[in-house]
Amino acid sequence: MDFRYSQDQLDLIDAAANVLSGENTVERLRAFAADPTTICKSENSLWQQFAELGLFGFMAPESLGGLAQPLEVMVGVAESAGYVGLPEPLIEVAGISVPLLNELGFEDELTAVALGELSVGVISALQTYQSNAHFHDSFLVAGAGVDNLQSRSSLKLTPCNSIDPLRQLTRVELALKQNALADRANLHGAVLSAAQLLGLSRRMIDMSVEYAKERKQFGKPIGSFQAIKHHLANAYTQLEFARPMVQLAALQGGVAVHNAKIAAIDTATLIAETAIQVHGGMGYTYEVDLHLFMKRAWALSAEWGDRNYHMRKLEQYLFTDGATLGASQTFS
Amino acid sequence: MNINFTQEQQRFRAEVRAWLADNVPAERLPSFDTAEGFELHREWEKKLAAGNWGNVNWPIEYGGRGLDLISWLIFEEEYYRADAPLRVSQNGIFLLAPTIMEFGSDEQKARFLPPMAAGDEIWAQAWSEPGAGSDMAAITSKAERDGDHYVITGQKTWSSRAVFADWCFGLFRTEAGSERHKGLSKILVPLDSHGLTRRPIAQLDGDPGFAELFFDEVRVPVANLLGPEHGGWGVAMATAGFERGLLLRSPARFQEAAARLVRLYQSHKHRLASGVGEQVVQAWMNAERFCAATYQLVARVQAGASISSESSANKLFWSEMDKHLHRTAMSIMGAQAELQEGLDAIDNGRWLDGYMFSLAGPIYAGTNEVQRNILAERVLGLPR
């Protein structure tokens, strides 16, 4: 029992975090927001770097050129992707598509994905909308009686408008029923969207702290006032108690996933609202960067099962299924 | 990451479980805030000590088993699972003992730890004063040096269990003319000392759960100084870290309460509004999150990390969680919620007791407002 990342795992997470924060700056995000059509694969040096660093193959088997990392380490990478507000669907490819391709034995495709030559997305019953689907050459369609790869051109994807300017959204015109593969996609999707929400939350706290240190009213930085301090301390506390749950969900799956996703949703919602309040009127503008992270948090909160979905699962577990409860159950 | 218990840990769990099954009193003991209950809880401490179960993570020479903190968590899980009596010695074993182990001399360790472990000496805390609550550096009670004794004069308050306890660990101003957090010392004082008067304070439930302590030239040997003279603030902060951080409230307590809450909900849900179930799920989720976070904290501590300002987040989380959990239970019980014991009282008023106690959580061990200031200033770096 040693519920910590190993040094090797931390090194991998740090390496990914350094690239993400070094390359995906707020200037880059602002430029994308000004012209969302520029969010694409062509002439995208960061997308190329993901391949060079082995990030696409992060969870692929070593025999297929991957790093064979488990989901809990991918959680650390997803948290960093959230922190920088990464628009590219790296986490979806590396954390959801790759493990599923591996499970279905698509070895050639897997090798190509790890090399960055092919991009594969995932479509399942829980994902009504796809973000930046144009990055993907094909999709793994998970659902009862389907479970196969389909090229993007063969699918009907209808454009929709997201409030997040960095999510070019399409609706998937497919009626799918949940099955084992879709459950698997769901597990990874819920855990990794939760992890990104943690990163977004941390970013919004950091932005708010910086703003509260600089912005002066009544002759003092507003961050010296207890009203502001207490909001941010509550936000920080909720985040610190959500993170271990998300890591545990990655290790355990099962009901821990529902708890983790709700923890991340509630944390991100509280922190987004806290952040806008701390920023005052500036927080309500398009000019301050906060909105880029806040809107992503809104969007990811409903991906791979919204709060209602996960809450109903837990109500079922606690009140109907006769769950084993109490101390000593969490890790057994 | 490894979240599997070793075979040794599983064997230890089975051993704890078996001993508790044989030894935990069949009936819940009366509250340790009554004279009768206090002595029954002391007897229970002696029984624990006789089985060498009182402090599994203490070194063997002081009455422990020399086990790590994971084993301590396992012990706590089994302890709450068995619904064993609350620890009347908690101020001593969870707060003072780690401080003695860190700051005490060998003589002090040998003098104070074994009787504490045995339940022969039960400890109370004497820090707060009428004018020094959240602002603890405003302490005015003084301990003046007179040869090889300190002469203590002043007043302490909110001293939990001091009505019936044997000793207290206090914070006193030893340096004449010193101000704020300078010039304070931590001194151990027998509660039956000449010149020391205890005035019981009835807490919310009517029982004398804490006391005011009046010191009128109480003489204490200098050997009872714990840590450096005039350096008591640092010693006290270390104790506060233990209190807020880890030892005082292990996750098992809340997980068991959440399990009881689910059962309470099940037996009342036919008459409840639709949103109540979600609050019950929330209480369960909180307890699970606290458990996950605690195992991670323990892993870090065992790898050499020390708990500092982040312990304030811990205290905020468990105290708010406890209040929410018990508030939810109170809302489920409807008209029966006010029944303290006897006819119609669900679980003999246990939820009501728990709710009242949970209201103290955001106040003791440093108010939650102070914890938020600590987090904002020392962790997030906001200006003072």
Side-chain angles (χ1 to χ4, degrees), chain A residues 215-228:
Chain A
R215 169 69 177 164
K216 287 190 175 137
Q217 284 290 275
F218 307 102
K220 290 177 187 171
I222 60 168
S224 66
F225 299 124
Q226 286 196 346
I228 299 288

Side-chain angles (χ1 to χ4, degrees), chain B residues 291-344:
Chain B
C291 181
T294 302
Y295 270 84
Q296 194 154 82
L297 183 63
V298 162
R300 286 175 43 223
V301 169
Q302 299 210 141
S306 60
I307 314 171
S308 56
S309 309
E310 65 204 301
S311 65
S312 295
N314 214 42
K315 201 256 161 170
L316 276 183
F317 192 86
W318 63 246
S319 57
E320 300 290 348
M321 159 174 69
D322 199 33
K323 208 166 58 166
H324 169 267
L325 190 154
H326 285 91
R327 181 200 306 136
T328 304
M330 292 291 281
S331 80
I332 290 172
M333 294 190 298
Q336 288 163 291
E338 73 171 300
L339 301 175
Q340 200 172 2
E341 60 192 339
L343 180 68
D344 282 354

Side-chain angles (χ1 to χ4, degrees), chain B residues 257-298:
Chain B
R260 288 193 291 116
L261 181 66
V262 170
R263 292 195 289 272
L264 181 74
Y265 171 75
Q266 296 282 32
S267 57
H268 289 74
K269 82 178 156 191
H270 58 279
R271 52 164 288 275
L272 300 174
S274 59
V276 179
E278 192 167 333
Q279 294 307 315
V280 174
V281 176
Q282 185 71 53
W284 172 83
M285 289 195 299
N286 288 342
E288 290 300 304
R289 288 174 203 170
F290 188 57
C291 181
T294 302
Y295 270 84
Q296 194 154 82
L297 183 63
V298 162

Side-chain angles (χ1 to χ4, degrees), chain B residues 58-91:
Chain B
W58 283 20
I60 292 165
E61 61 262 42
Y62 303 127
R65 289 177 179 243
L67 298 173
D68 65 8
L69 285 170
I70 297 287
S71 304
W72 174 74
L73 284 172
I74 293 171
F75 176 82
E76 288 277 299
E77 285 171 354
E78 294 306 317
Y79 193 84
Y80 281 98
R81 201 175 165 275
D83 208 7
L86 292 175
R87 304 296 297 270
V88 69
S89 58
Q90 56 185 275
N91 287 76

